[in-house]
């Protein structure tokens, strides 16, 4: 596996995704980047990044986490590496050399994709397929565009690696009401939404557990062979 320039920081949404990445790094010896838990959603993330003291130009930031599929081609557990993110007709690109290096190191396990960032949870399978077709996007998340816009302006190289946790064949519960304004999850509305749609909730939980296990494994794979120059 090729040596990278140091990945200084991994940003990953707080909660289960953050814990999965930390578990993936727990057995790694040698250099380990700083792992930072970020809030969920565009506005909370922007506010957080604007307060952040953890970045310098020339640093490399890897954003990790889970995402939803907008295409039949991407199923639960698939590992995807972003080329770019779109939001309301605007596009931000991931750092090409950094992305290419990551891709070459795990090319047999990862697919390059185009991503859509949304300011709410896209829970309906029909809407996912519609967005995928009309916007030519492969996956959806709630942070990518904001992070890219911020770091690209700051001259910080960013790559994004995520794992698909829900497909575009089935609805998931609408978790938007469970996301607090600070980007944390509120357990009570979360439980209510899950109870309202038990089948969808079961599917979401199963898909998330699968994706989190893969996220842990790919984190370990990436950094076990990692030695910074």
């Amino acid at each position: 596996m090729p040596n990278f320039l140091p990945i200084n920081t991994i940003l990953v949404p707080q909660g289960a995704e953050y814990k999965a990445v930390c578990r993936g790094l727990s057995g790694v010896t040698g250099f380990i980047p700083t792992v930072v838990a970020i809030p969920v959603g565009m506005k909370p993330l922007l506010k957080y990044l604007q307060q952040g003291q953890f970045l310098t130009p020339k640093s490399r930031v890897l954003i990790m986490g889970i995402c939803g599929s907008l295409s039949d081609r991407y199923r639960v557990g698939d590992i995807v590496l972003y080329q770019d993110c779109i939001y309301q007709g605007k596009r931000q690109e991931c750092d090409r050399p950094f992305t290419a290096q990551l891709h070459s190191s795990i090319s047999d396990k990862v697919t390059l994709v185009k991503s859509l960032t949304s300011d709410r949870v896209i829970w309906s399978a029909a809407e996912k397929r519609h967005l995928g077709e009309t916007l030519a996007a492969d996956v959806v998340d709630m942070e990518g565009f904001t992070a890219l816009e911020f770091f690209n302006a700051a001259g910080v190289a960013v790559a994004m690696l995520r794992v698909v946790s829900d497909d575009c064949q089935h609805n998931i519960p609408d978790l938007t009401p469970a996301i607090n304004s600070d980007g944390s999850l509120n357990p009570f509305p979360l439980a209510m939404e899950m109870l309202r749609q038990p089948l969808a909730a079961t599917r979401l939980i199963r898909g998330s557990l699968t994706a989190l296990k893969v996220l842990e494994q790919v984190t370990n794979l990436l950094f076990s062979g990692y030695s910074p120059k």
Side-chain angles (χ1 to χ4, degrees):
M1 171 175 172
N3 290 344
F4 295 140
L5 283 168
I7 295 172
N8 312 66
T9 309
I10 298 174
L11 299 186
V12 58
Q14 60 193 16
E17 294 163 81
Y18 173 77
K19 288 175 186 167
V21 168
C22 290
R23 280 196 304 273
L25 290 171
S26 63
V28 173
T29 53
F31 179 85
I32 296 178
T34 305
V35 187
V36 179
I38 57 172
V40 173
M42 300 182 74
K43 285 181 181 170
L45 177 60
L46 181 59
K47 188 176 176 185
Y48 177 82
L49 292 175
Q50 287 168 340
Q51 299 164 349
Q53 304 299 315
F54 50 87
L55 294 169
T56 53
K58 305 286 183 197
S59 61
R60 286 183 159 197
V61 172
L62 178 61
I63 296 173
M64 302 185 78
I66 59 179
C67 61
S69 172
L70 300 178
S71 159
D72 291 334
R73 293 192 300 278
Y74 303 100
R75 297 170 186 273
V76 172
D78 285 355
I79 304 165
V80 293
L81 185 63
Y82 288 15
Q83 293 172 300
D84 55 30
C85 284
I86 55 172
Y87 174 70
Q88 293 187 347
K90 294 178 286 187
R91 188 167 74 101
Q92 291 283 338
E93 283 200 5
C94 294
D95 185 78
R96 287 185 182 181
F98 184 12
T99 300
Q101 282 181 323
L102 280 169
H103 186 244
S104 69
S105 71
I106 51 167
S107 57
D108 58 328
K109 295 178 175 61
V110 69
T111 311
L112 288 165
V113 295
K114 295 183 176 297
S115 167
L116 166 69
T117 299
S118 171
D119 52 13
R120 61 187 171 83
V121 174
I122 308 296
W123 58 271
S124 145
E127 186 180 12
K128 283 186 179 185
R129 290 194 296 272
H130 174 73
L131 288 169
E133 288 160 13
T134 54
L135 300 175
D138 302 305
V139 296
V140 61
D141 70 40
M142 295 181 69
E143 300 86 23
F145 183 90
T146 300
L148 280 179
E149 191 170 49
F150 179 85
F151 289 124
N152 286 346
V156 173
V158 177
M160 287 199 211
L161 185 74
R162 291 197 182 236
V163 180
V164 175
S165 63
D166 49 284
D167 61 29
C168 67
Q169 303 295 329
H170 305 95
N171 294 347
I172 60 170
D174 181 8
L175 302 185
T176 305
I179 300 172
N180 295 325
S181 59
D182 64 355
S184 62
L185 281 175
N186 190 331
F188 183 69
L190 180 65
M192 292 305 294
E193 289 300 327
M194 293 291 209
L195 289 170
R196 200 169 283 141
Q197 303 179 65
L199 267 178
T202 304
R203 198 176 288 115
L204 175 67
I205 292 165
R206 198 180 296 136
S208 297
L209 289 173
T210 299
L212 290 166
K213 189 68 191 165
V214 174
L215 183 63
E216 179 185 336
Q217 290 164 348
V218 74
T219 303
N220 187 270
L221 178 72
L222 268 181
F223 290 96
S224 319
Y226 177 110
S227 70
K229 290 179 182 175

